[in-house]
Every structure is written in C-alpha cells, then in structure tokens.
Amino acid sequence: MAEIVLGVGGGIAAYKVAEVLRRLTESGHVVTVVPTRSALRFVGEPTWAALSGRPVHTEVFDDVHEVPHVRIGRRADLVLVAPATADLMARAAAGMADDLLTSTLLTARGPVVYVPAMHTEMWEHPATVANVETLRKRGALVIEPAVGRLTGADTGKGRLPEPADIYDYVTDVLGRGGAGPDLTGRHVVVSAGGTREHLDPVRFLGNRSSGRQGYALARAAAARGARVTLVAANVALPDPAGVDLVRVGSAAQLFDAMVAAAADADAVVMAAAVADFRPAAYADTKIKKSADGSSPVIELERNADILAHLAAHRPSPAQVVVGFAAETGDASGSVLDHGRAKLASKGCDLLVVNEVGADRGFESEDNAAVILGADGSSVTVESGPKSALAHVVWDLVRDRL
Ligand code: CTP
C-alpha cells in the first residue's frame, strides 16, 4: 500500500475528488489531503479529514516545527493533484511555493499526476498549454481532460474523468513502482474489442472479445505519459482516464479509424478481434423466416486485413506496429510456429501470441503470451493480469522507438 498526497485545487470538480479519496483509502492507501485555500470553498476541511482519517492542512505555517512541506512531499509514493486548475498548474509550472500544496510539489520525488478540470477555453489557452507542456517535460503526468458536460450549460473538453477511472489510472502508475513516464511525447494508437458485421438492423456476426486487453494497453500507455487514441469496437467497459476514445462498430469503420489515427502515431497496436468476413449484402429490413421453411444462405465477402495494411503503409519507417494472434497448435505446427508465420505474413514488428483454449484468452481477467519480434526475439509473459502483459508490450515498443 502506498503513501499518497492528494492535492485538491479550487474547482467545482473537487466534490468528485472526494469519491477518488474514498476509493484510495478503501483499498488501503494512506492518503494525506492537501487542499488549496480555494479548494476549501468548494469542499470543506471536515470532508477531507473524515474521508482520509488524517489531519488536513493548507498552509505551510501550520505545525511549522514538523516542516510539513518537506516531510509530506518526500514521503509520498505519489502525488495526485485533482482537480488541477489552470491557476494551480500555472503556479506549479512556475515553481512557486506559496501554500502547502505547491511547496509539497517542489519536494516530491515520486510520480506526480495532474488531473485537470476547467472550461475548454481555459484548457486551450496558450498559457495553460505551455504550463502543461512544462510540467510534462519535467516528468509529471498530466491527464487529458474528458469531453462532456461542464459546469453550467456548457459541454466540451475540460471535464474531470470519472472517479473510478482516475483511481484506475493511479493504480496503473503505482504499479510501475516509481518508474518514470517513458512514453511522454509519443502518440500511440490501440484498437480494442470485437467488430460486428451487420446482416440486418438487428443481427450481426460478432465475436467474444471483451476489449479488456486493449483497454489495459491504453491505460498502461497513458500511465507512462503517452497520448493515447483508443479505437474501441463494441466495448462495454469504463472509459480509461486521459485517453482519446473513438467508437466504431464494423471492421470497415475500424479500418478507417485506425488509418486516420495512425497517420501521426509512433506506435500502433491491433488488439481488436476483427471479423475476416462480412455479409455480402445488408438487408435494410429485418430478415424474416420464409413461408416455405427454407433457411437463408448468407454469402460472405472478405474484409481488409487492417494490421497488414497498417504495417505496409506506415507514415514513417520508425512507426512500430504490433499485432495479436490467438492460436492453437495443430498437426501442421505448434502455437509458436503459427505465430512466426503470422508475424511474417502481417509484416508487423511484434506479435503477441496467445494460446487459446477452453478458458484462456477472450473474457478472462488474466492473459499469458509469447511476444515474438520480427528481429527473431521472443519474450514469454507468464499468466497474470492483462495490465502486466500490457506493460511488457510497451517495454518492447519503447525499446524499438
Ligand atoms: N486483424 C486485422 N484485420 C483483420 C483481421 C485481423 O487487423 N481483418 C489483426 C488483429 O487485430 C490481430 C491480428 O490481425 O492483431 C490477428 O490476425 P488474424 O490473421 O486475424 O488471426 P486469425 O483470424 O486467427 O487468422 P487465421 O484464422 O487466418 O489464423
């Protein structure tokens, strides 16, 4: 369990951060809450003290004999700043130390995560853009705000991600054991889920992919500082914090979304299960049982191979392309024989090979794999959480960037 400093900025989203605090303490973390003066105008000191079970201070001048700004910062395994307001990030970027939180930020040596929340205009202002860039350059993680309802009648970019998603993000960063954000400045694109090929308005050909492995990859990349585009095909999982989410349905839509997102990407990972075939014809109205009792014959046609296309049409030779393959061994070869052949035929740099069986792969929380490299390398990942496999994939991608 970790020692966490929760720095709360003066924004209306502070009320949502109380829920983040509750989740952190319930999972056993020791959390010291350091609100700014203006944060206390939104959510008062008793709330933070009761939920954290610890005293709450705002000023450097409380308990001066304990030198709290040095003690709190040094001890923290992680500092989470939420909501990070434009003003707070400006003060942090300038290295100011005019309250306990900004002083703590100067003494913290572990990872620092900012979760901005503000109106779109403030987020997009060149001053904020420059401050965010400065903080990121210095090694801080600044989560991209969510798009949605803001205070008042507005909608746009600037919303605080959901508390559960912030909690997951923090867990991912803590799971890195203090390792720095090694994908800062990189744009990565991940596909997840399974495509649906519609026969008529109510029926489709689909597959069992839950999207968990792709979502774990997106979360892991965000926790390492990358700008992440997640192209999700029919996934019913919570949106990962700080990730640009694009929703698609069919393989054709996935193709278009991946090609568009890959144009400026440093790495592309195809974790989605893509239908190789689609119905040759789509019925605009529901297909009815025929009166004579005969069964319809569904003609299929091939979908494009998205992974092979991306690997063959890279915007830059430096782009790293990763595929997934679910294989079973058979008379013609072992799982790895099939994996090697697929790696070559797809033309990608890395292929994550899962051996599929009765209860492995698709809907489970865990995954085991062998990651084959076009350079002949092979890395075995023992069965473990999908996030662990995700981090090994990003380690290998980073080494190739
Ligand atoms: N893939 C793709 N476009 C497709 C089919 C698959 O991009 N039309 C990608 C998947 O996202 C995955 C990899 O290719 O990264 C899986 O390879 P694939 O050839 O589809 O595996 P299988 O369907 O198992 O192939 P086969 O049945 O031919 O072994």
Side-chain angles (χ1 to χ4, degrees), residues 32-40 45 55-72 91 97-104:
T32 304
V33 184
V34 185
T36 62
R37 258 160 263 148
S38 49
L40 294 179
E45 187 267 347
V56 171
H57 297 298
T58 298
E59 308 299 336
V60 202
F61 302 104
D62 303 331
D63 298 324
V64 175
H65 64 286
E66 290 182 352
V67 202
H69 66 289
V70 178
R71 182 176 46 89
I72 296 172
R91 289 191 289 133
D98 50 352
D99 60 9
L100 185 54
L101 178 52
T102 46
S103 308
T104 300

Side-chain angles (χ1 to χ4, degrees), residues 84-94 112 114-118 122-145 157 184-185 225:
T85 59
D87 175 72
L88 183 49
M89 289 194 293
R91 289 191 289 133
V112 179
Y114 291 88
V115 195
M118 64 194 74
M122 295 176 87
W123 173 251
E124 288 175 350
H125 192 282
T128 308
V129 171
N131 290 330
V132 167
E133 200 183 309
T134 301
L135 294 171
R136 282 184 175 148
K137 268 201 197 120
R138 285 191 202 133
L141 290 155
V142 185
I143 302 186
E144 288 293 310
K157 190 164 185 172
T184 296

Side-chain angles (χ1 to χ4, degrees), residues 270-276 303-308 323-327 342 346:
M270 277 297 297
V274 189
D276 287 319
N303 278 328
D305 189 318
I306 305 171
L307 177 60
F324 271 70
E327 301 288 347
K342 193 165 283 181
K346 301 270 183 178

Side-chain angles (χ1 to χ4, degrees), residues 191 251 254 269-277 302-310 322-327 338 342 345-346 351-352:
S191 70
L254 179 60
V269 181
M270 277 297 297
V274 189
D276 287 319
F277 304 96
R302 282 292 288 271
N303 278 328
D305 189 318
I306 305 171
L307 177 60
H309 177 92
L310 292 170
V322 184
F324 271 70
E327 301 288 347
H338 291 309
K342 193 165 283 181
S345 72
K346 301 270 183 178
L351 190 74
V352 184

